[in-house]
Amino acid sequence: LAPWVPVVGLEIHAQISSNSKLFSGSQVQFAAPPNSLVSFFDASLPGTLPVLNRRCVEAAVMTGLALNCSINKKSLFDRKHYFYADLPAGYQITQQRVPIAVNGSLSYSLCIDNKMSQMVTKTVRIKQIQLEQDSGKSLHDDTRSQTLVDLNRAGVGLMEVVMEPDMCCGEEAAAAVRELQLILQTLGSSQAVMAEGQLRVDANVSVHHPGEPYGVRTEVKNINSIRFLAKAIDYEIQRQIEELENGGTILNETRAFDSKLGCTVPMRDKEGKQDYRFMPEPNLPPLILYDAKSLPANMNHQQVINIDWIHERLPDLPSVKRKKLVEQYGILPEHSFTLLNEDGLAEFFESVVKETLMKPKKVIGWILKDLLSYLKQHSLTVKESPVSSFLLADLLNLLEKKEISSTAAKQVLAELWKGEGKTPLEIVKEQKLELLQDQKELEQICQAVIDGHENEVIMMVLG
């Protein structure tokens, strides 16, 4: 029998990094006291109206441009109706008919057979990016059989990034989401911290035989870590294959990933497509964006959003940064990935290179083998490193000038980790770790040792 072909598509909700919510002036803040950041509009009191947050629109445009999308100069808002305790209005404002950005692509790289030296680059198509509000949060208290509702998150701005089903395994999905996360963080359009729910992934998974139509898909909802994403998808692919090979059928259902058990579990079925009764949002006009050509002459700059203006100010994206690191410093492509994957590590590396005589190719070894493994061992971020880039550069200069051996350099580094504020040179002097270059001085030391151990010398000569 022909092998199974898995198909994976992702829908990703990224929380927009802004001070206030998408349609209200309420503050956005993680872990604030429950229901302390709720305006009348967020609680959907009758008669309240939405006011669109300019910063959220700019963030979505930036993200769309970075993902090679076409930005729609006219996009529309819609109401998506469903009833849930944490959705006080009974509908969510989203963009269903004409979203803000469409038809993009994201390139990501992954290693073959876990070999860092063999990397392949793949591309996933981005169907669209849409602006929408987040819902509140329901906290289920089983002991009192109550559900408590916190509306702090209600109305927070989200970008939903919808990817085409172009992937085939958990590893690909994880690599694509990691790259998206880096791009969002580089742009500043989302902090994308998964642990704080700022990036939540839904994965659609199906399997079929080559040449046949796609199989029935399941959706694994709200995955909140990249590691769990890979595990959930791979588990779901295996589960579907086994189910079909045993003569079963796949239900079109929503599942959740149980990270403790390492498996997906059914949440609710999708039998009878849920009818969200989409309708145009009557309280919001179409969102009109401009570019340099269409910008009206007498228009106040502050009132409109100019796509070209945003485009000109896009920062270097991770792929460009990696390329520059490889070209400028002659490091290996896979090392450029590690440098960018750790927040602040590329900057750390560059400042060490600036301050030291050592060749970048040698510096990278110290950064990745010594610095990074120590930080990982002690669960520290680069910014929390007890050894600054200046201290490491000082140490590498001593090594490069042949004032100490590399064994001694490792000893000095071990001392530096203690964070006692000593310089590498002070440690070298204290522990007498210098390499001696002076032939005469060496001869004198040897002579002194011989003179101080006459008996041993006689024994050796006689021996």
Side-chain angles (χ1 to χ4, degrees), residues 84 101 460:
Y84 206 71
M460 280 181 71

Side-chain angles (χ1 to χ4, degrees), residues 19-39:
N19 296 326
S20 51
K21 296 184 179 178
L22 184 56
F23 299 117
S24 81
S26 295
Q27 242 196 313
V28 175
Q29 189 192 325
F30 180 67
N35 297 309
S36 60
L37 306 173
V38 188
S39 70

